[in-house]
Amino acid sequence: MKKVIMILIDAIMPDALENSIKAGKAKALKFLMENGYYDSKLVTAFPTMTASVDCTLMTGVYPDQHKVPGLIWYHPEEKRIVDYVNGSKTTLSLGIKNTANDVLVELNEKHLNKETKTIYEELAEQGKTAGAINFIIHRGFQKYELKPPFLFNLITRFKLNKRSISGPELLSIGAFVKPSLPGRKLVWNWNQSLFNKYGINDRYAIEVTKYIIEAGRQPDFLMIYLPNHDHYLHKHINHPLESIKKVDQNLEKILDTFGDWNKAIEQNTFIILGDHGQTEIGKEQNHNIDLDYLLRDYQIPPIGQRVKEEHEAIFANNERMVYIYPLKKDIQKRLVNTLLAEENIDFIAWKENKTVKVANANGAELTFSKGKESYYIDPYHQKWDVEGDLTILDITLEKNQLHFGQFPDALSRLYGALYSQNIPVIVANAKPHFEFISKTFPTHLGGGSHGSLNYTDSIVPLLVAGAEKNPPTPMRVVDLKNYVLQLLNSTSTSIG
Ligand SMILES: [Zn+2]
């Protein structure tokens, strides 16, 4: 059995990957492409934000089952916004302590549904080993203690110090959890400093990977997260190649660790993928959909404050999509009308008696629901009842076959987001080149953004080299867990 190394490059897009190879800027990716299998149309999870995608990748189910709605969402029991870190201003308003606690502890230990097994848990049950380097989803059967750097402890008043978190057989999270292997030391350097996001960066992840492989401790499945490209692309959406060149140099270092690149793919299956794309946002102010202004007539709690009796709604801004939660019984209809009056929203969707309603500003409406006996079937063998205007989600019909256009896997992904929580919620999707903004949230005018159900945000590249079996098509991020388990000679036993 070959070992599997999965590398997630945040926001790498198919065109950029292909062009960087053509331009001679990506030797490692070129080698893997020439010796492997390539899919330029892998469909990712929705919202197209790293946190929700990572949960789907590691559990093999959409948010209606893994229960993590997005990067940002409203927690009804705790009456507060959960944020797995999006922008320093938001983190400051919500409190660094809370945000760090959400992403480092609560996400894996509480928010991620215990009924859906992670790939690490399934592999462990089958006697195989796994590892995660800087990957935010790491729930496994081993226990680790967080050991944050001193300055971080001071800022967060030691709230996270020595907190117990779970992980697979090998876990490395920046400067917070460091693997220690007998006879070898991972020495401290600037890559782990506050200025380098405490080790949550590409260079440090590669250092740890090399350290583990050279120590002879490579697990059967190793998940590596490289975040830098996303940070770069948000600012320089039209010039991705310079950043991919740097990513590729890091991939070269991993391949070099095996002595020779051919040996690397003889001994391992490499799976390289992106988590979401990015869409170019217009330069002018009017490409922002200002949520504070749009919802000015509603009682909404200021960011960082808990929901109180008088509040009518709250929203969770995921860049090009937003969750809007009606907090009072009679408010949903009013909210729907307010949102439908905003011309830069592509469509909105909400739940109604186990169905999903979709509507847009032009008056088009669509209702759909899941059904085992339903007549219509999508390319992923999911059956649906549909009624109304299919063009609202760019769906075409051929007899009973549903085909997706601008919104890949639209029905399952919208359903997954809306049914991730059992409270009323409305999803709003921005038109291409538009982004939702609100106080403290990052804005990307003239740059790139993501989060939506649209094609550009939703399609990522998949590169597999060294595999004994190619992945099936059409492929989605949600299907990758099963594929990896098959490669490692295991079969999935989790629900879904
Ligand atoms: Zn991003």
Side-chain angles (χ1 to χ4, degrees), residues 10 50 230 234 276 278 319 450:
D10 202 321
T50 302
D230 182 64
H234 274 294
H276 54 72
Q278 282 200 19
E319 298 187 6
H450 50 96

Side-chain angles (χ1 to χ4, degrees), residues 76 124 217 379 392 403 483:
R217 299 294 287 269
I392 193 168
H403 297 289
Y483 173 63

Side-chain angles (χ1 to χ4, degrees), residues 149 175 178 185-194 204 207:
K178 295 196 206 176
K185 246 199 149 127
L186 190 64
V187 290
W188 192 90
N189 61 30
W190 279 102
N191 289 339
Q192 301 162 46
S193 72
L194 164 67
Y204 181 69
E207 266 173 48

Side-chain angles (χ1 to χ4, degrees), residues 25 28 244-254:
K25 287 183 190 269
I244 293 185
K245 189 174 147 191
K246 287 188 189 143
V247 171
D248 193 85
Q249 285 162 355
N250 281 318
L251 296 178
E252 283 181 34
K253 285 184 195 153
I254 299 183

